[in-house]
Amino acid sequence: MRVLNAILVREFYLANSSFFLLVIAIAGGFMRSYEHIALAEFFISTPMVLIIPVAIWSVYSLKVINFNRERIALSENEFVFCFILLSETKQWSMTLRVAALQLLPVFLYGAFLCLVASKHGLAIPIIVIVISSGILLWTTAFHLLLGLRYPNHEKKISPISRLLNTRLTKPISLFFIEWTIRNDLAMFVGTKVFTILTLTGITELYKTDSYDLRLLSLGIVIGSSANASLMQTFHHFENFHMNWLKGLPLSFLKRMSSNLLTIIIMVMPEALVLIKNFPQELSWLECGAATIFLLSIPILFYGGSYIKDRNQQEIMPIVFCFVLGWFVAILFKIPILLLAAINISIGIYLWKKFYYSFEYISKE
Amino acid sequence: MLTIRNFSKSFSQELIVSVPLLELDCGAYWIKGENGVGKTTFFKSLAGLLPCKGQIEFDDGISLAEFPLRYRERVNYGEAEPLYPGFLTSKDLIRFVGTARKSSLEHQDFLVEKFGIHSYFNKPCSTYSSGMLKKLSLALALLGSPKLILLDEPLITLDESAQRILVSLLNEYIHENQATVILSSHQVLSNRDLPIKQSFHIGNKMLTPIDPL
């Protein structure tokens, strides 16, 4: 049990620590106790509304199932397959306990909803919550049990993938995008959603009041700086998972054009949102400058990541300093096109200067 | 000829391996050493994957420090335990590396056929066994017209037939391309199959020659 706890439960919470911290920050920092109770009362008000938390719990359970499946598939965890030597009862009790620990946030919030429901004398929400929690627990435990009992299942390739693999050769610019979507979808989608919402929210302000480009530029700084984590992951992918790329005889121009294309594709969603919602009172020239500025920030962060191997905790204060610097520059009416040119120039300079001398020493 | 002069590689100011002077002509060289003495670090440094001090230069003046691109055109490296993103296929990797190394499509397909990669050419790497991955990495390490081929533990996980193919291909590169092959192996190499010009030992942070075979 201690082994399963170490490789599945502890690793699950460690891998998702930033997500849980975000939830705790929102729940504990922004919402007050009566707001929590009001939200709970809303959830239990009708069975239809109760579907919302149950759906969120189901997504969470799928995440747990997926995490367990991936962990079990790692060659370093092959030793856990001696699990099948245990008795049937022991296997079930262990997988149920692991699943229960991983689903703890679901059960805690479910218990809170049950408490609120019981105060209002509502029986149906309690029954729905207990049954859905039980189903989720059983499903998660059952998938874990299957994974541990039948470890060497055949890896199937879907006919569509087979056809695409036969007909197409993936271009290098898409390597990272596919990798991050497959390995860190939550971060990718989360970053994009945050950036898009920030830009949409800022552009909405222009519909009711009159502002110059500076307000939008501040929004671009906040939104685009959120890509810093994504850029660090891109850098990690290049220098850790694809470290052999450095040994290939590719000119810097080729490497740069390929990586710039990757960055442009990644920034495309927010660039499209920016262009689509661009305030009408601002000129098209300013729209072009804003789009280039949006793109320049990830380029600077990507190039800067070659200076030294830094982890996420070390990078965030640097990002924060840059955000403050851009804020001040924008407030003092320094043209964003000039800022963009500086960002791109510094980013490419650092990238070229440190490309071959960068040494990845971080562990996975 | 490849000349390595005043070479040293350190991690966090701790010296891993140093080579005061080493001159290698075309032919095969065998580097021996216990686990963790710095063989892979030495190989990766020669391949330009890790920054290092000193001079690594071909006899026409093309050096790693001064001509990073032209140097890399001549140097291929095969990893001991290759690992590629699971969603990429052999085709994706061979076509990409082949284009970068200016290897013709015919030569790429020749290596695919030779190592028996064609049976899993369009399948993603996540479905490969370690032997299949090794064959792929060796094919990648032989693309183009390398003058220096660095193979880190090339024989592990390879079946006997693939080992024979590898040895015969290396002999071709040595005789037709005048290539220098440096390999590390814990397995005994038969001098009859692949004539070893000189063996070296890495230990005590130094690369020292062993008596000729």
Side-chain angles (χ1 to χ4, degrees):
Chain A
M1 186 63 203
R2 277 174 64 185
V3 170
L4 288 183
N5 271 345
I7 64 165
L8 295 175
V9 181
R10 197 179 66 191
E11 286 300 310
F12 174 75
Y13 285 108
L14 278 176
N16 296 290
S17 53
S18 50
F19 166 73
F20 287 113
L21 279 174
L22 183 71
V23 173
I24 291 166
I26 292 170
F30 295 108
M31 292 176 73
R32 294 177 188 178
S33 57
Y34 61 84
E35 288 170 332
H36 282 292
I37 294 168
L39 186 66
E41 285 172 341
F42 168 69
F43 281 147
I44 58 163
S45 57
T46 67
M48 281 304 285
V49 181
L50 197 56
I51 290 173
I52 298 171
V54 173
I56 294 170
W57 297 339
S58 303
V59 172
Y60 179 86
S61 303
L62 283 174
K63 189 174 168 59
V64 171
I65 290 168
N66 200 35
F67 176 85
N68 290 346
R69 189 176 52 80
E70 282 175 6
R71 285 285 147 169
I72 290 168
L74 291 178
S75 52
E76 67 195 41
N77 291 333
E78 271 180 12
F79 68 95
V80 298
F81 300 141
C82 58
F83 173 85
I84 51 172
L85 301 173
L86 300 171
S87 69
E88 177 95 2
T89 326
K90 188 90 178 160
Q91 288 181 22
W92 268 108
S93 79
M94 283 170 80
T95 48
L96 279 167
R97 278 159 69 187
V98 167
L101 286 170
Q102 289 176 315
L103 296 177
L104 201 59
V106 169
F107 300 142
L108 288 175
Y109 197 71
F112 172 62
L113 289 185
C114 287
L115 197 71
V116 175
S118 70
K119 273 188 182 171
H120 289 80
L122 298 169
I124 294 174
I126 297 173
I127 295 165
V128 172
I129 290 165
V130 169
I131 291 173
S132 56
S133 302
I135 292 171
L136 291 176
L137 175 66
W138 185 85
T139 313
T140 309
F142 181 68
H143 271 93
L144 178 58
L145 192 74
L146 278 184
L148 290 167
R149 276 187 187 172
Y150 308 105
N152 295 316
H153 62 276
E154 192 186 346
K155 284 181 182 159
K156 286 179 183 161
I157 308 165
S158 71
I160 297 169
S161 298
R162 205 175 300 139
L163 184 75
L164 290 175
N165 287 338
T166 312
R167 294 277 169 91
L168 303 171
T169 305
K170 288 186 194 81
I172 175 94
S173 300
L174 295 181
F175 282 11
F176 171 68
I177 294 168
E178 183 162 354
W179 183 84
T180 193
I181 287 171
R182 284 172 182 271
N183 293 280
D184 216 342
L185 184 65
M187 188 194 69
F188 186 78
V189 173
T191 306
K192 294 296 119 185
V193 167
F194 173 78
T195 314
I196 287 168
L197 287 179
T198 305
L199 290 175
T200 311
I202 296 274
T203 49
E204 283 295 309
L205 294 174
Y206 281 81
K207 289 180 181 166
T208 51
D209 293 288
S210 182
Y211 301 102
D212 61 14
L213 184 63
R214 286 181 295 168
L215 179 68
L216 183 59
S217 303
L218 296 177
I220 291 172
V221 167
I222 297 169
S224 198
S225 296
N227 284 306
S229 291
L230 210 53
M231 288 304 112
Q232 202 207 2
T233 315
F234 183 25
H235 175 262
H236 178 82
F237 174 75
E238 270 237 330
N239 292 278
F240 192 88
H241 298 283
M242 302 274 284
N243 63 351
W244 48 269
L245 275 178
K246 209 174 266 186
L248 292 181
L250 294 167
S251 66
F252 183 74
L253 196 68
K254 270 189 187 167
R255 291 180 195 273
M256 193 181 73
S257 54
S258 149
N259 286 12
L260 279 182
L261 186 60
T262 305
I263 295 173
I264 289 170
I265 295 169
M266 277 193 287
V267 177
M268 193 72 83
E270 49 261 46
L272 290 174
V273 166
L274 178 70
I275 293 165
K276 185 176 172 289
N277 299 329
F278 199 75
Q280 286 178 341
E281 63 264 37
L282 300 176
S283 70
W284 277 106
L285 199 68
E286 287 173 314
C287 178
T291 312
I292 295 169
F293 184 51
L294 176 84
L295 180 68
S296 74
I297 293 173
I299 294 173
L300 176 69
F301 287 139
Y302 178 74
S305 57
Y306 277 96
I307 300 174
K308 194 184 162 194
D309 178 19
R310 291 188 175 94
N311 61 31
Q312 196 88 21
Q313 283 75 29
E314 289 170 315
I315 280 182
M316 282 309 143
I318 298 169
V319 173
F320 186 66
C321 287
F322 270 98
V323 168
L324 289 183
W326 285 316
F327 262 53
V328 173
I330 289 164
L331 291 174
F332 278 91
K333 292 189 174 176
I334 293 176
I336 54 167
L337 202 56
L338 177 65
L339 293 177
I342 293 170
N343 291 343
I344 293 171
S345 305
I346 295 176
I348 291 176
Y349 170 75
L350 295 174
W351 186 355
K352 189 171 190 313
K353 183 173 166 56
F354 295 103
Y355 181 74
Y356 286 125
S357 63
F358 177 81
E359 203 161 358
Y360 211 97
I361 50 171
S362 299
K363 296 276 177 278
E364 250 292 50
Chain B
M1 182 188 280
L2 181 81
T3 307
I4 302 169
R5 197 175 286 118
N6 298 326
F7 171 90
S8 69
K9 175 64 198 165
S10 306
F11 280 127
S12 308
Q13 295 177 334
E14 190 195 337
L15 180 69
I16 303 297
V17 61
S18 70
V19 182
L21 180 67
L22 180 65
E23 290 182 332
L24 302 172
D25 215 339
C26 75
Y29 297 85
W30 183 6
I31 293 189
K32 301 174 185 181
E34 290 147 30
N35 297 328
V37 292
K39 294 191 297 292
T40 300
T41 303
F42 180 58
F43 276 30
K44 284 191 170 181
S45 302
L46 290 190
L49 297 178
L50 291 176
C52 59
K53 286 182 181 166
Q55 198 174 21
I56 306 165
E57 190 179 47
F58 286 97
D59 49 5
D60 60 354
I62 301 297
S63 70
L64 172 63
E66 286 175 55
F67 302 95
L69 189 63
R70 291 178 67 188
Y71 176 87
R72 282 172 172 81
E73 280 174 3
R74 301 172 176 197
V75 181
N76 287 14
Y77 168 62
E79 286 187 90
E81 289 172 18
L83 212 58
Y84 304 106
F87 61 89
L88 293 178
T89 62
S90 289
K91 184 174 77 173
D92 294 330
L93 289 163
I94 286 175
R95 295 290 183 245
F96 169 63
V97 177
T99 309
R101 293 210 171 274
K102 298 187 178 78
S103 173
S104 67
L105 214 55
E106 290 74 32
H107 189 236
Q108 292 174 28
D109 292 339
F110 164 76
L111 289 171
V112 166
E113 198 67 35
K114 268 277 186 194
F115 281 108
I117 296 170
H118 55 276
S119 59
Y120 55 92
F121 192 55
N122 292 315
K123 289 181 182 168
C125 290
S126 59
T127 61
Y128 297 179
S129 69
S130 49
M132 291 154 87
L133 273 174
K134 191 72 183 177
K135 286 178 186 176
L136 171 62
S137 86
L138 289 169
L140 292 172
L142 296 174
L143 287 167
S145 315
K147 287 282 175 202
L148 173 63
I149 302 171
L150 305 157
L151 298 178
D152 196 359
E153 293 291 351
L155 303 181
I156 51 167
T157 70
L158 270 195
D159 54 56
E160 276 188 32
S161 125
Q163 286 185 18
R164 276 196 299 275
I165 289 164
L166 174 67
V167 166
S168 104
L169 283 169
L170 290 179
N171 275 318
E172 277 178 36
Y173 277 86
I174 290 167
H175 295 117
E176 290 169 22
N177 274 15
Q178 302 295 301
T180 303
V181 176
I182 310 179
L183 42 91
S184 74
S185 180
H186 290 295
Q187 283 157 287
V188 178
L189 292 165
S190 160
N191 201 32
R192 197 182 54 203
D193 299 331
L194 184 69
I196 303 291
K197 270 197 167 174
Q198 175 77 55
S199 296
F200 296 91
H201 179 263
I202 292 188
N204 297 323
K205 300 174 182 186
M206 291 287 287
L207 181 81
T208 43
I210 304 171
D211 291 337
L213 294 168

